[in-house]
Amino acid sequence: MTSETFTPLKGHCACEAVKYERETGAAFALNAIVETSNFRIISSNQPLRTEIVQPSGEIGMMARCPICYTGLFRDYDGDGTIMTYVKAGTLDDESKKSVQPTGHIFISTKLDWVDLTSERERGIPVVQEHYKRREVWSDEANARYDILLQKEAAAKKAKAARKESEA
């Protein structure tokens, strides 16, 4: 799914010990969803991967710089094989120019001083919980995400089958 004409986005932790590159397409978290197959660490330092319990009770993973502990990217399913959620604040300045939000979600928990009026005026969805991605994302983004969801479902099914066979 890598586009031959896409310029990779680059980023790093606060101390720049862990650098990464990704392809495709603060007071709050900014995540950029990336196909894991298009994400790679490009520095010799490897991130510290820690398990995080999600509000749902499922286990996810947070990758942090092993020196300054800046959060670099997450995997909400914990296996890191399908989607990587890059912390957009860690992107290099040039790469930040290449991305824009498609929506602001879960604003019910935003800090009071965060004003999203200009985002609403630009036509960016600002919603209490989550938006309907099919109504917000481009056709290309929806198609790519649908493929990722199919891969994720297949991986979960295979994982459940392995567990069942081990029991």
Side-chain angles (χ1 to χ4, degrees):
M1 283 191 206
T2 302
S3 170
E4 293 180 22
T5 60
F6 188 85
T7 302
L9 302 175
K10 297 179 181 181
H12 54 82
C13 63
C15 73
E16 299 191 24
V18 176
K19 296 181 180 182
Y20 63 86
E21 179 175 271
R22 75 169 188 94
E23 295 177 8
T24 62
F28 39 84
L30 299 169
N31 291 312
I33 303 171
V34 180
E35 294 97 336
T36 301
S37 61
N38 289 328
F39 179 86
R40 68 176 185 234
I41 302 298
I42 59 171
S43 64
S44 60
N45 289 309
Q46 292 299 303
L48 175 65
R49 298 168 194 264
T50 57
E51 288 187 347
I52 296 182
V53 179
Q54 313 295 339
S56 66
E58 292 184 24
I59 303 296
M61 181 278 301
M62 170 64 83
R64 298 184 178 279
C65 170
I67 298 168
C68 68
Y69 300 106
T70 298
L72 300 168
F73 57 92
R74 290 190 70 143
D75 171 38
Y76 288 94
D77 292 325
D79 68 358
T81 60
I82 309 298
M83 290 180 261
T84 299
Y85 293 77
V86 174
K87 298 299 182 183
T90 66
L91 293 172
D92 289 342
D93 289 340
E94 196 60 35
S95 292
K96 287 177 187 174
K97 295 175 187 176
S98 302
V99 296
Q100 290 188 12
T102 54
H104 297 279
I105 59 176
F106 302 109
I107 67 159
S108 59
T109 59
K110 77 171 183 60
L111 298 173
D112 291 339
W113 52 264
V114 175
D115 184 0
L116 297 172
T117 303
S118 64
E119 291 295 273
R120 282 188 183 98
E121 290 170 355
R122 287 190 321 127
I124 303 296
V126 177
V127 295
Q128 292 295 311
E129 295 303 320
H130 210 294
Y131 56 78
K132 294 178 181 167
R133 74 172 168 86
R134 293 217 179 276
E135 297 173 7
V136 175
W137 291 9
S138 69
D139 290 343
E140 178 191 4
N142 274 307
R144 289 172 52 203
Y145 194 73
D146 287 341
I147 291 168
L148 292 176
L149 291 177
Q150 291 169 7
K151 288 180 180 180
E152 185 177 56
K156 285 182 177 181
K157 187 175 180 180
K159 185 178 180 179
R162 281 192 305 274
K163 280 187 175 182
E164 189 176 301
S165 70
E166 292 172 359

